[in-house]
Amino acid sequence: MMKATAIAPANIAFIKYWGRKDAKLRLAYNSSISMNLSACTTTTTVEFSSDFIEDQVSEGFDARRILNHVDRLRKLAGIHTHVHVTTQNSFPTSAGIASSASGFAALTVAAASALHLNCSEKELSGLARLGSGSACRSIPDGFVQWDDTFAYSIHPPEYWDLRDILVIVESQAKDVSSSKGHDMVTTSPHFQKRLERIPDRIARLKEAMKVKNIQMFGEVIEEDCLDMHHVMQTQVPPLFYWNKQTKQVIDAIKKSGLPAYFTIDAGPNVHIICEAKDEKEVVNLLRTKYKIMVNKPSKGAHLI
Ligand code: PMV
């Protein structure tokens, strides 16, 4: 049988990937570090059959991009039969919750298995990267680093009981896709400066993870988030992903004095990172005003 189902988590980047030195191969200018998210997942079933008369993809998804990725894998396997792809997200699509990361990770693992490709984790990560850069980080477990062509786990999910309290201020699809944004990164006068600061930032983040110091950790993630958005906003054309509520959530967290820290991807939603012991207080602070999803560190993509 040529059918398989996989589930993959979205991931939140602590050191962000923004800009690629090779757009086609989706090779990033800088290394990035992320955590897989337990509550934000994509589940995808891929089936190949000579009974199918055409390729089909679940409605509401970018069929062309998905089928381009399936074609890559079909080529690798030397198989030409049609495919049916059924996919479902546990969270709003295209709202800056990295649906492309969980989506292409789940698609890669399901399609590779349905095609009997027998790939290693490293190969699956490299293949997922070709679908969406950040997808390569949704393949390995827990806390993950992406250097160059593939991503690997630096700590298992149970290493540090962190929470990502995702505050959904907007669940509409975004105006400018991250793919388009990546392409214009070198037009920002601040792009090069951010790149120069990344190695030291990665070293500080990894040290904070080693000693599990949430304050040191939080300061680094906020610094890189603001730096990436500064680059985005100074690109030509400028990209403003925040909205009024994004700022309100940040203000509420800062005012509370809780050991909880913000980070934001290519969308207005805010990820508040804290230790498990502070989850309740953070949730209580925000839940009356916003829709919230509580994430724990999770495994990477796998077959189900
Ligand atoms: O993989 P893409 O093209 O959706 O890029 C994602 C970029 C950010 O989410 C903004 C940062 C990151 O590292 O996830």
Side-chain angles (χ1 to χ4, degrees):
M1 197 174 59
M2 299 190 74
K3 182 177 178 179
T5 300
I7 184 164
N11 65 73
I12 180 64
F14 298 137
I15 300 290
K16 313 283 190 188
Y17 147 56
W18 191 245
R20 39 201 191 197
K21 56 185 177 206
D22 186 320
K24 206 161 163 237
L25 291 179
R26 294 183 198 268
L27 295 174
Y29 278 107
N30 66 278
S31 292
S32 53
I33 294 182
S34 62
M35 179 180 98
N36 287 328
L37 305 179
S38 60
C40 300
T41 59
T42 301
T43 305
T44 299
T45 299
V46 176
E47 182 171 12
F48 297 90
S49 167
S50 45
D51 295 340
F52 298 156
I53 51 163
E54 57 173 13
D55 290 339
Q56 261 180 30
V57 174
S58 296
E59 227 168 277
F61 291 84
D62 186 343
R64 170 129 44 102
R65 193 164 164 196
I66 289 172
L67 292 174
N68 277 344
H69 194 58
V70 172
D71 276 344
R72 264 182 213 121
L73 294 151
R74 264 198 286 230
K75 253 189 212 144
L76 270 181
I79 281 167
H80 306 287
T81 38
H82 285 301
V83 71
H84 284 184
V85 179
T86 317
T87 191
Q88 211 177 351
N89 285 338
S90 67
F91 56 90
T93 310
S94 296
I97 318 178
S99 61
S100 66
S102 54
F104 283 96
L107 179 66
T108 303
V109 169
S113 170
L115 290 163
H116 308 293
L117 277 173
N118 266 326
C119 295
S120 64
E121 179 186 281
K122 178 177 163 179
E123 288 165 336
L124 288 169
S125 176
L127 285 168
R129 190 198 80 240
L130 297 169
S132 170
S134 54
C136 73
R137 296 190 311 235
S138 289
I139 300 282
D141 290 341
F143 299 87
V144 173
Q145 179 161 345
W146 168 20
D147 303 327
D148 205 29
T149 56
F150 67 97
Y152 50 94
S153 181
I154 52 174
H155 295 294
E158 55 283 359
Y159 173 73
W160 195 2
D161 203 11
L162 289 184
R163 292 291 177 271
D164 173 356
I165 295 156
L166 171 56
V167 189
I168 302 177
V169 300
E170 166 89 66
S171 52
Q172 298 300 310
K174 58 194 173 203
D175 300 340
V176 184
S177 74
S178 48
S179 282
K180 282 202 186 116
H182 283 292
D183 291 342
M184 302 313 290
V185 74
T186 53
T187 60
S188 164
H190 300 286
F191 163 66
Q192 205 57 43
K193 288 181 215 147
R194 174 171 178 259
L195 272 193
E196 284 160 22
R197 287 189 282 257
I198 293 277
D200 169 66
R201 214 170 263 165
I202 288 185
R204 282 189 287 137
L205 187 88
K206 286 176 106 168
E207 179 58 24
M209 289 175 97
K210 194 169 150 201
V211 299
K212 300 184 185 169
N213 181 329
I214 189 71
Q215 186 183 341
M216 184 176 162
F217 181 84
E219 283 166 9
V220 179
I221 70 167
E222 290 186 354
E223 184 183 304
D224 191 55
C225 166
L226 292 172
D227 207 3
M228 178 187 73
H229 283 274
H230 187 49
V231 170
M232 289 168 155
Q233 291 170 9
T234 49
Q235 290 180 198
V236 184
L239 280 178
F240 294 94
Y241 283 117
W242 300 23
N243 68 20
K244 209 169 141 194
Q245 288 168 309
T246 309
K247 180 68 173 32
Q248 282 167 1
V249 173
I250 295 174
D251 288 345
I253 284 295
K254 292 290 144 199
K255 212 174 132 204
S256 76
L258 289 166
Y261 301 87
F262 67 85
T263 187
I264 300 148
D265 280 343
N269 299 317
V270 190
H271 297 252
I272 304 293
I273 313 295
C274 64
E275 291 184 300
K277 67 175 177 54
D278 297 306
E279 173 190 329
K280 265 209 184 100
E281 273 194 89
V282 174
V283 168
N284 283 341
L285 186 73
L286 300 164
R287 72 163 175 212
T288 52
K289 278 201 172 158
Y290 308 98
K291 187 171 182 301
I292 276 167
M293 289 177 86
V294 177
N295 290 280
K296 299 177 182 183
S298 90
K299 277 172 61 154
H302 54 278
L303 294 167
I304 49 173

